[in-house]
Amino acid sequence: MTDKLGRPAAAPQTNAQSLERETAAESLVGTVTAVQANYYWVKLSAASDWAGAVLLCTRRARLKKTGQQVMVGDRVVIEEPDWQGQRGAIAAILPRSTTLDRPPVANASQILLVFALADPQPEPLQMSWFLVKAEAAGLRVAVALNKCDLVDPSVQTEWSDRLQTWGYAPLWLSVYQGQIPTDLNLTLQQQTTIVCGPSGVGKSSLINALIPDLSLRVSAVSGKLGRGRHTTRHVELFELPRGGLLADTPGFNQPDIDCGPEALENYFPEIRQRLKQQRCRFSDCLHRDEPGCAVRGSWERYKHYLQLVEDLLCQQAAQLSDTDDTGVKYKVTTAGQRQAEPRLAAKKYRRISRRSRNQALQDLCQEIVDTGDNLEILEGLSLDDLT
Ligand code: GDP
Ligand code: ZN
């Protein structure tokens, strides 16, 4: 189901919430905060007697048989808790309000895009890539500009005006100077927020500032696998002191956009605004040189739109000619350049790299050492799940 902008519609919250209340009355409910191989770290909800406890869980075989994937952010029902061993099994997944594929996060409500005013210098085209990607995820988008301490106030004013015309009202930060506006805390409170943006803008610094005991938590949780969770490629949710979750998602920081060129108009507030006032002559207008276009104009990011639409058309053409067996595929880079790269075989024929295989085996050995005689934890484990 999609809404009028073509975004995935959110499932009715009320049903999910009431089902959760009913379920919570008789069982243990928690949130999946991290996933690794076949294991899920589940933090139990405030409603239970064991509020806040974290259990390392497996997934019941029947969930696996019915193909139900457990994602970070999922609200789940736990069976057979072993309080001493801090283990459990996930018996059911409660209905999701939202689902993101890349990064795989359930029930996220918003994306916080972080940029810097300097070091690295804001790059408007790159910012548009991130903004479009965030808009395309169908979640609420919040924008923050960090490192205010590095620029003259006039630069901040200039960017404020500029972003206003793009349709965004950013929050201004200097993590360095401890300048984190109350509005940001309010925005994040009780929400599941995906934090992303270019590298070096201060995302990790911000997360650490918002969750001062994070390093403690990271080392405590990582004990099971004997290495820092931050070094893994998995999404992880961190709990904010005043309620709410932050997803630290390395995977979202590559601004590759996965939508058709015709959907792009939904992801620019400026275009949405224009189309609200006047429709284009043709319903399938791509807003390039079509007669009677209501979008074409001298607004600042129109050139970004044109570049993105070109890139997406190239991408689409390359996908359509996929059958030509050239062994080449095209990727659009951050700078908006089309780049050829060798095509990999479909996943099922792809060899598992030696590195992934070794890592998977290391994890498995570590788990066996950690779990001792608890063979239940190895239920349904296969090398496929680990790599
Ligand atoms: P990430 O790659 O987005 O996670 O960025 P980091 O949090 O690793 O920060 C990158 C660099 O920016 C580090 O050297 C930080 O110390 C620095 N940094 C972070 N926030 C601020 C800030 O508010 N002002 C200044 N001047 N530097 C900052
Ligand atoms: Zn048009």
Side-chain angles (χ1 to χ4, degrees):
M1 259 220 325
T2 55
D3 67 7
K4 61 184 188 306
L5 296 178
R7 304 165 170 193
Q13 277 267 345
T14 45
N15 282 353
Q17 278 163 354
S18 64
L19 181 64
E20 186 164 326
R21 268 196 302 277
E22 282 163 30
T23 316
E26 66 240 28
S27 15
L28 282 175
V29 174
T31 304
V32 178
T33 56
V35 176
Q36 184 142 32
N38 254 6
Y39 305 107
Y40 308 92
W41 276 262
V42 178
K43 181 150 190 172
L44 297 182
S45 313
S48 93
D49 290 345
W50 298 88
V54 178
L55 298 181
L56 180 58
C57 299
T58 49
R59 174 174 55 144
R60 277 268 169 263
R62 70 172 171 274
L63 281 186
K64 200 167 183 184
K65 272 189 208 125
T66 50
Q68 292 185 68
Q69 286 296 331
V70 181
M71 297 165 93
V72 161
D74 262 329
R75 307 279 300 152
V76 293
V77 178
I78 305 293
E79 272 180 4
E80 296 170 24
D82 159 12
W83 298 114
Q84 210 158 30
Q86 295 176 290
R87 308 282 161 145
I90 297 176
I93 304 169
L94 296 176
R96 293 171 178 153
S97 58
T98 61
T99 310
L100 269 192
D101 288 339
R102 285 189 308 154
V105 181
N107 301 318
S109 41
Q110 58 187 358
I111 292 176
L112 174 67
L113 269 178
V114 185
F115 300 108
L117 279 172
D119 192 19
Q121 203 68 13
E123 283 176 34
L125 180 59
Q126 187 196 46
M127 289 165 85
S128 280
W129 272 92
F130 274 102
L131 286 164
V132 165
K133 183 164 173 170
E135 295 267 356
L139 306 179
R140 195 168 41 241
V141 179
V143 180
L145 276 139
N146 187 29
K147 308 202 188 184
C148 290
D149 56 288
L150 292 181
V151 299
D152 194 82
S154 64
V155 175
Q156 185 176 327
T157 311
E158 195 184 300
W159 271 104
S160 173
D161 295 345
R162 203 162 165 185
L163 280 160
Q164 192 87 35
T165 67
W166 296 10
Y168 299 95
L171 296 156
W172 303 97
L173 323 172
S174 167
V175 178
Y176 235 45
Q177 295 181 331
Q179 193 187 312
I180 297 176
T182 319
D183 279 0
L184 179 62
N185 286 307
L186 291 176
T187 303
L188 302 177
Q189 219 167 315
Q190 309 305 335
Q191 305 289 325
T192 297
T193 307
I194 295 174
V195 180
C196 55
S199 83
V201 297
K203 297 181 297 297
S204 316
S205 310
L206 175 64
I207 295 174
N208 280 324
L210 292 168
I211 311 174
D213 63 344
L214 185 63
S215 47
L216 274 177
R217 275 203 59 231
V218 168
S219 54
V221 177
S222 65
K224 290 283 172 216
L225 293 175
R227 61 197 156 94
R229 301 297 307 286
H230 260 135
T231 62
T232 70
R233 63 206 147 93
H234 301 272
V235 181
E236 185 160 1
L237 288 182
F238 301 116
E239 203 172 18
L240 289 158
R242 276 181 260 173
L245 296 162
L246 287 185
D248 175 24
T249 61
F252 203 84
N253 298 327
Q254 296 302 320
D256 53 325
I257 294 167
D258 200 9
C259 73
E262 66 295 334
L264 203 53
E265 63 181 30
N266 300 317
Y267 310 139
F268 280 81
E270 305 96 310
I271 301 185
R272 295 202 293 259
Q273 189 58 33
R274 279 177 165 72
L275 291 178
K276 233 190 265 170
Q277 285 158 3
Q278 200 189 338
R279 302 300 308 176
C280 298
R281 186 181 307 165
F282 302 109
S283 61
D284 60 353
C285 186
L286 277 182
H287 321 303
R288 295 187 299 168
D289 44 16
E290 296 90 336
C293 175
V295 167
R296 193 170 49 241
S298 57
W299 49 285
E300 186 191 353
R301 294 204 304 157
Y302 180 53
K303 55 183 181 295
H304 297 178
Y305 169 80
L306 286 178
Q307 174 141 15
L308 282 169
V309 97
E310 277 311 318
D311 293 340
L312 293 175
L313 284 165
C314 277
Q315 221 171 8
Q316 202 176 48
Q319 275 159 8
L320 287 175
S321 65
D322 244 12
T323 46
D324 67 2
D325 270 346
T326 53
V328 171
K329 73 171 179 179
Y330 294 92
K331 193 175 120 183
V332 180
T333 66
T334 316
Q337 305 290 312
R338 188 164 169 255
Q339 206 175 55
E341 59 175 44
R343 189 188 305 287
L344 293 173
K347 193 175 177 208
K348 61 179 168 170
Y349 302 118
R350 214 188 291 160
R351 269 191 65 202
I352 299 167
S353 79
R354 187 174 299 176
R355 201 162 144 233
S356 321
R357 189 179 284 266
N358 285 346
Q359 187 60 65
L361 288 172
Q362 257 180 34
D363 285 355
L364 179 58
C365 294
Q366 186 62 50
E367 282 302 329
I368 292 168
V369 171
D370 281 348
T371 53
D373 58 0
N374 190 355
L375 289 176
E376 161 77 357
I377 205 85
L378 299 174
E379 175 192 66
L381 203 66
S382 77
L383 197 57
D384 265 2
D385 296 313
L386 289 164
T387 49

